[in-house]
Amino acid sequence: MGGGTIHVLYVDSGPPSADDISRRLESARESLRVTTVDSGSVDALSTELADCVVCDCAISDPNASELLEAVREEGTGVPLVLFTDDVGERTADESIPSFVDAYVPKQGEGRDHERLLGRIEDLVSRHRSETNYREVFEKAAVAMSVRDPETGRFLDVNERYCELTGYSRGELIGRTSEEVGGQQEGYTADRAHELLRETVEEGSQTVEWVNKRRDGTSVRVEATLKPAEIDGRTRVLVSIRDITDQREREAEIERKNDLLERTQRIAHIGGWEYDVEAEELRWTDEIRRILGVPLDFAPDPEATLERYHPDDRPHVRRAIEEAITDGEPFDIEVRGRADDGAFRWLQIRGDPQRGADGALRIRGTAQDITDRKRREDRLHELHRRTRELIRAGTPTEIAHIAVETAEETLELPLSGIHLDDGDGTLRAAAVTDAVREHVGETPDYDRSSADYGDTLAWEVFESGESRLIEDTDADGALDIDSPIRSGLVYPLGDHGVFITSSLNPEQFGEEEQAFAEMLAATTTAALDRAEREQRYDAIFNQTFQFTGLMEPDGTLIEANDAALEFVDATREEATGKPLWDTPWFQYDDSTREMAREAVERAQNGEFFRDELPIVGGDGEEIITDFSLRPVTDENGQVTLLVPEGRDITELKEREAELERKNEQLEEFASVVSHDLRNPLAVASGHLELALQEYDDDNLEYVKEAHDRMESLIDDLLALARQGTSVDERRVVDLGATARRSWRTVETRDATLRIASNGSFEADPSRLGQLFENLFRNAVEYAGDAPTVTVGVLDGGEGFYVEDDGPGIPPERRDRVFEAGHTTSETGTGFGLRIVERIATAHGWDIEVTEGADGGARFEVTGVEMRVDGKTV
């Protein structure tokens, strides 16, 4: 019995006479400890330490009732057993007090202690169960409830159950499933009540169920129902486990694992014992049968060691030695030689134990696992072939690998894959040579044919249910000319069927079916993947960006390979759930909240964009430029959402490095300009005094040089500051910003024209500087009264500024953005360099080309423009 040591207090009402009983009780169970006292020695401490009290007294003794009452008073909750000479049924019924838990009559046949031991173990087990019920129930790691099988009502629930369902304990107790869960198709209160009654009548069971939470959402659970005696009444203990997140592929994997378990049959197990001191080895007959030796064969320890494979003997010897010296049990897999010379795989378990006589013996089991090892080798090869299937790129390639696997790995020589051609025929994509040899041609299955083979293949394909044909002669299934006598047909989803057959009847046992079904399931998964990749590859998987598709409610329905590989998730694990529950948004709470906000804004037709930190499956953290774009139909209704993410980690790192360098540059420029301005100011002051005293043209040249030095210093500072990154962006209007900048520039007779307009995000101040420098450049170089045009580029990829002047020769266009490059006597050569710095700080590109009228045209690209309220 489980539960540890049982302490029995044996109370003798007369002279000590229980030694024989106590000795036999303790000999019968190593876990039993018996303490014998006379009736005058019973106290609260002795009963408190006991798991059971046995009173050895005669019912007819006048002092018996007094003794029993005294014992019960001292040990209120401990089971009390009356062990008596009186065996009369009438006497027992009339004389035994109601508070006695069990009555065991003495029969004097030398087996009294066995009957007494049975009652003690039963009572202690029941008492411990009842005592620990509340503590175990409340501390259970799973959600549990106690149900009344008669009424279906909740009698008790633990905290985990409340957390899972959303109901409080008070809301559940006394109510039925109908009252707290509602009626759902297939999962009604009547069915729940029926399950409770079945559990009481037939025993424990496990079912899948759908519970409705308090908030109205549904949760799929696995419920285990067990009958239990609680407070003397039969109840049903229900434990539930949330399995809502298990997707279809996970269920398929679970089914594969179940098939694997079915293929691993339990072989016969034999027992053995090794007496260390006597050096004697004993076997049960089952071990002799496994090794093929006569049933009267007497094993010898040293000779037995020689039966193991030479490579395994050191493992066996070491396991035995450690068991003897350290008392360590062992579990090893080794090869043993049978009498026919063949080696069989054995799983050897051993556990050192000391008997009552103090002798050390190692007892254990030996299990023939040869078949299991063979299956494991086959499974290992099947898994290797599965990787080939997953890597295959086309349905034809998948079919050939699957058929080759069936023939070479699963030893199914008559096998074929037949795929739906879309025109009513399941065409043979791949078959073994044996199929061609025995059937005579590569078989196709016509939807309109009345032949049984064609009909059977299409029935399996359309129903999605496999078929086993055990004997075609008995079933009358196939044409009499066919050599096929048994077969298996498995559906391959929406793709076709897998067929394997034999020339002999009843050739497909449980193991063959399990492996064939596993191959069919794996092939289906590979075909699904190939179809999915062909369908979406051009859209999703030809880019390094993270891309996906979402329902308008935020449910992710597709993600490209780049996104999935980064977080080490399968498509099934990532899709089918809200965006904020997907792996990419588990960085922190603010990230998940941003995902919710993005979905809400996109649902209303708004484009969302922000920087998002994510952590990949290997722990790598990156910063992404995340956006969520709504897709609308012709009525403006949002039908899809397109999430995209671009890895900008390196860009951010470069920006940080550039910021640092620009700060250093600005500091340097400020120091230099300060050191230049001080002597320049002194020189300018003396120059002013000289101009007041002397009228000399040479002094005017000096003044012009001073002014140019001032301009150079100002542009040097401006250029240094334009290298820093953009701190704040706002939506700006192209035309309005251009007009404001135009008013701050000395434009003389020049004219500004806004050809087209749009909006985009930018730093308004620095964007204004960009336009000012482009306008100054146009006024300086475009001749008299030029026209400067601003507009949106075709395709909406940015904007442009152009003039109608002489333009810039092609050979000089690559140099115009170089610092100090100028063709004007008054220019500093830094204006266009500043323009380039501002564009780069925004993440844009700028280039110079020829305008429509032959002038200079500056195009700024990489800008997300919105024209007429739409992003283009």
Side-chain angles (χ1 to χ4, degrees):
M1 125 175 209
T5 302
I6 297 176
H7 295 276
V8 177
L9 181 65
Y10 197 99
V11 182
D12 200 337
S13 62
S17 61
D19 291 343
D20 185 54
I21 291 295
S22 64
R23 180 181 61 78
R24 283 188 285 170
L25 285 173
E26 288 191 318
S27 296
R29 290 286 188 274
E30 291 184 4
S31 60
L32 202 68
R33 299 290 183 269
V34 181
T35 302
T36 305
V37 300
D38 60 40
S39 59
S41 301
V42 180
D43 55 26
L45 178 60
S46 61
T47 57
E48 180 181 346
L49 297 177
D51 295 303
C52 181
V53 178
V54 177
C55 281
D56 185 347
C57 61
I59 299 176
S60 58
D61 188 340
N63 297 321
S65 295
E66 184 177 339
L67 171 61
L68 292 170
E69 289 177 358
V71 173
R72 170 53 70 209
E73 183 177 350
E74 293 294 343
T76 304
V78 178
L80 176 58
V81 179
L82 175 59
F83 187 46
T84 178
D85 284 326
D86 294 330
V87 296
E89 189 66 30
R90 185 171 182 275
T91 303
D93 292 342
E94 295 174 353
S95 304
I96 297 175
S98 59
F99 55 77
V100 171
D101 296 289
Y103 156 60
V104 180
K106 297 180 181 178
Q107 297 179 351
E109 299 174 354
R111 303 180 64 85
D112 287 344
H113 72 286
E114 295 180 359
R115 293 184 296 105
L116 180 58
L117 175 61
R119 297 308 301 274
I120 289 171
E121 289 182 332
D122 181 59
L123 288 169
V124 170
S125 176
R126 185 183 307 171
H127 178 67
R128 285 177 175 174
S129 297
E130 293 175 354
T131 301
N132 295 332
Y133 157 70
R134 174 50 57 188
E135 181 178 2
V136 172
F137 185 74
E138 288 299 337
K139 292 183 178 180
V142 297
M144 301 180 69
S145 65
V146 178
R147 305 289 291 275
D148 185 337
E150 296 299 324
T151 65
R153 297 187 181 280
F154 287 90
L155 301 177
D156 201 356
V157 294
N158 66 0
E159 185 177 349
R160 290 280 294 155
Y161 193 94
C162 295
E163 292 174 355
L164 182 58
T165 63
Y167 289 96
S168 68
R169 190 167 180 268
E171 290 174 316
L172 289 170
I173 292 179
R175 304 176 73 184
T176 66
S177 298
E178 182 177 6
E179 293 173 314
V180 296
Q183 296 287 89
Q184 303 178 76
E185 184 176 355
Y187 304 98
T188 64
D190 289 342
R191 176 55 183 155
H193 197 174
E194 182 181 347
L195 287 172
L196 295 175
R197 290 194 296 267
E198 287 178 0
T199 300
V200 172
E201 296 170 359
E202 302 173 10
S204 301
Q205 59 178 319
T206 299
V207 299
E208 282 197 12
W209 197 258
V210 175
N211 279 353
K212 184 166 287 187
R213 295 188 178 98
R214 193 178 189 281
D215 61 6
T217 60
S218 295
V219 54
R220 180 171 290 277
V221 300
E222 182 182 77
T224 299
L225 297 84
K226 297 182 178 180
E229 291 295 324
I230 301 176
D231 296 332
R233 300 189 63 180
T234 300
R235 306 300 189 192
V236 176
L237 188 63
V238 183
S239 59
I240 62 176
R241 180 172 64 89
D242 186 352
I243 58 172
T244 306
D245 293 336
Q246 293 181 354
R247 310 311 310 159
E248 182 179 355
R249 289 309 178 195
E250 293 171 333
E252 183 175 298
I253 293 174
E254 183 178 353
R255 184 164 63 91
K256 289 181 183 179
N257 291 335
D258 179 61
L259 292 175
L260 174 60
E261 290 299 324
R262 289 169 51 199
T263 63
Q264 297 178 341
R265 295 180 182 177
I266 300 176
H268 294 293
I269 300 175
W272 59 272
E273 178 184 81
Y274 175 49
D275 190 321
V276 177
E277 296 179 5
E279 295 187 352
E280 293 181 352
L281 180 62
R282 302 179 185 88
W283 287 352
T284 64
D285 288 344
E286 189 62 27
I287 292 184
R288 295 183 177 89
R289 187 200 64 78
I290 291 172
L291 296 177
V293 298
L295 294 181
D296 59 355
F297 177 82
D300 175 78
E302 284 301 321
T304 298
L305 184 62
E306 294 301 315
R307 280 186 170 272
Y308 291 104
H309 191 282
D311 294 341
D312 297 335
R313 291 170 195 165
H315 303 306
V316 178
R317 191 183 298 276
R318 183 168 58 251
I320 295 294
E321 290 174 351
E322 290 178 355
I324 295 173
T325 58
D326 302 331
E328 290 292 330
F330 60 85
D331 185 344
I332 58 177
E333 294 181 358
V334 294
R335 288 158 290 182
R337 188 184 70 251
D339 250 23
D340 61 3
F343 281 99
R344 302 193 66 80
W345 276 100
L346 304 174
Q347 183 173 25
I348 309 294
R349 293 186 175 95
D351 188 10
Q353 302 172 0
R354 286 199 179 272
D357 57 0
L360 177 61
R361 298 179 178 87
I362 304 176
R363 293 175 177 144
T365 60
Q367 180 180 8
D368 184 355
I369 59 171
T370 305
D371 289 342
R372 193 193 80 188
K373 281 291 188 179
R374 181 181 60 82
R375 287 193 294 269
E376 287 177 353
D377 291 342
R378 182 178 288 187
L379 271 175
H380 179 75
E381 179 63 17
L382 182 58
H383 290 163
R384 187 186 70 79
R385 296 289 188 129
T386 296
R387 291 192 291 272
E388 293 182 19
L389 281 171
I390 296 302
R391 289 194 296 266
T394 66
T396 301
E397 184 180 357
I398 291 170
H400 280 284
I401 294 174
V403 168
E404 184 180 280
T405 301
E407 182 177 26
E408 298 179 359
T409 303
L410 304 186
E411 300 175 4
L412 301 173
L414 291 166
S415 298
I417 297 289
H418 305 264
L419 301 180
D420 179 18
D421 68 354
D423 292 326
T425 302
L426 293 172
R427 297 199 181 278
V431 297
T432 61
D433 291 339
V435 170
R436 297 186 180 90
E437 177 184 348
H438 293 287
V439 176
E441 59 181 10
T442 302
D444 294 330
Y445 299 101
D446 192 338
R447 179 72 175 81
S448 60
S449 173
D451 289 345
Y452 181 82
D454 299 75
T455 303
L456 175 63
W458 274 95
E459 283 180 356
V460 170
F461 175 56
E462 294 180 333
S463 69
E465 298 180 0
S466 61
R467 286 285 300 275
L468 166 65
I469 304 167
E470 297 191 57
D471 189 342
T472 58
D473 283 347
D475 296 344
L478 297 180
D479 189 281
I480 193 169
D481 294 331
S482 173
I484 303 303
R485 287 295 171 261
S486 60
L488 287 167
V489 186
Y490 286 98
L492 302 177
D494 297 330
H495 310 286
V497 293
F498 165 58
I499 301 177
T500 185
S501 55
S502 173
L503 304 180
N504 301 312
E506 300 181 358
Q507 287 297 296
F508 297 96
E510 184 177 333
E511 181 176 323
E512 288 77 14
Q513 293 180 54
F515 276 108
E517 185 171 356
M518 188 179 298
L519 176 61
T522 304
T523 303
T524 302
L527 290 168
D528 285 343
R529 182 194 58 79
E531 181 180 65
R532 185 172 56 246
E533 286 187 354
Q534 290 176 353
R535 183 181 302 170
Y536 296 112
D537 185 69
I539 302 175
F540 293 103
N541 297 322
Q542 300 303 316
T543 175
F544 290 105
Q545 288 196 155
F546 303 164
T547 308
L549 287 176
M550 292 166 49
E551 298 285 3
D553 64 357
T555 300
L556 185 68
I557 57 178
E558 186 59 282
N560 72 345
D561 289 346
L564 293 171
E565 289 171 2
F566 184 78
V567 293
D568 193 20
T570 65
R571 187 166 276 99
E572 290 72 24
E573 291 170 342
T575 57
K577 60 185 68 175
L579 182 65
W580 49 88
D581 286 341
T582 58
W584 301 275
F585 289 85
Q586 303 312 304
Y587 185 81
D588 54 24
D589 291 341
S590 63
T591 302
R592 288 186 286 274
E593 186 58 35
M594 189 195 77
R596 288 180 181 272
E597 178 189 350
V599 171
E600 290 175 0
R601 290 170 59 176
Q603 285 173 340
N604 296 322
E606 182 180 348
F607 173 76
F608 178 90
R609 184 177 183 182
D610 204 343
E611 291 181 1
L612 169 69
I614 62 175
V615 178
D618 58 358
E620 178 187 2
E621 179 178 335
I622 71 167
I623 304 298
T624 62
D625 179 6
F626 172 73
S627 64
L628 190 57
R629 186 190 309 274
V631 178
T632 58
D633 59 17
E634 64 275 8
N635 299 319
Q637 186 73 26
V638 175
T639 58
L640 282 175
L641 304 179
V642 180
E644 292 182 299
R646 181 168 57 93
D647 185 353
I648 60 171
T649 306
E650 293 185 4
L651 175 62
K652 300 300 289 185
E653 291 173 350
R654 289 197 301 270
E655 288 180 352
E657 179 64 18
L658 182 61
E659 182 72 19
R660 184 181 63 80
K661 291 182 178 179
N662 284 334
E663 288 175 357
Q664 295 174 348
L665 178 61
E666 182 174 1
E667 180 180 357
F668 168 76
S670 297
V671 171
V672 172
S673 66
H674 179 269
D675 291 345
L676 289 175
R677 286 186 194 277
N678 283 339
L680 182 60
V682 173
S684 296
H686 286 288
L687 177 61
E688 290 297 327
L689 293 176
L691 286 171
Q692 293 175 9
E693 186 174 350
Y694 302 103
D695 183 12
D696 189 339
D697 291 342
N698 291 321
L699 293 178
E700 288 296 333
Y701 291 132
V702 173
K703 185 176 185 305
E704 291 177 3
H706 284 182
D707 291 341
R708 179 164 175 75
M709 290 175 67
E710 286 282 357
S711 297
L712 284 169
I713 292 170
D714 289 341
D715 283 353
L716 173 64
L717 284 173
L719 180 62
R721 294 188 176 105
Q722 297 312 318
T724 59
S725 60
V726 174
D727 295 326
E728 181 180 357
R729 298 177 188 240
R730 296 202 304 269
V731 176
V732 298
D733 184 88
L734 176 66
T737 303
R739 292 187 184 94
R740 280 195 300 271
S741 299
W742 183 264
R743 290 195 293 268
T744 63
V745 177
E746 178 58 49
T747 57
R748 297 193 293 271
D749 296 328
T751 302
L752 174 66
R753 185 174 74 92
I754 306 300
S756 55
N757 198 15
S759 62
F760 54 95
E761 292 185 351
D763 182 326
S765 174
R766 297 180 66 181
L767 180 63
Q769 289 178 294
L770 180 145
F771 278 120
E772 289 170 7
N773 279 279
L774 288 176
F775 292 159
R776 289 192 188 98
N777 184 77
V779 171
E780 180 72 24
Y781 294 102
D784 297 332
T787 296
V788 180
T789 303
V790 176
V792 178
L793 291 171
D794 293 341
E797 59 186 13
F799 59 87
Y800 66 89
V801 176
E802 71 175 38
D803 59 56
D804 56 359
I808 301 174
E811 64 272 12
R812 286 184 43 230
R813 291 173 186 170
D814 291 339
R815 299 180 54 203
V816 296
F817 296 112
E818 295 178 0
H821 176 76
T822 180
T823 58
S824 170
E825 295 181 358
T826 60
T828 64
F830 290 116
L832 292 182
R833 181 61 168 171
I834 292 172
V835 168
E836 183 191 42
R837 285 289 184 86
I838 295 174
T840 301
H842 281 81
W844 305 333
D845 295 317
I846 184 169
E847 66 175 347
V848 61
T849 183
E850 184 177 351
D853 297 323
R857 177 183 173 101
F858 292 87
E859 294 183 348
V860 180
T861 57
V863 186
E864 284 201 355
M865 302 290 299
R866 291 179 65 85
V867 179
D868 297 329
K870 295 183 179 180
T871 302
V872 293

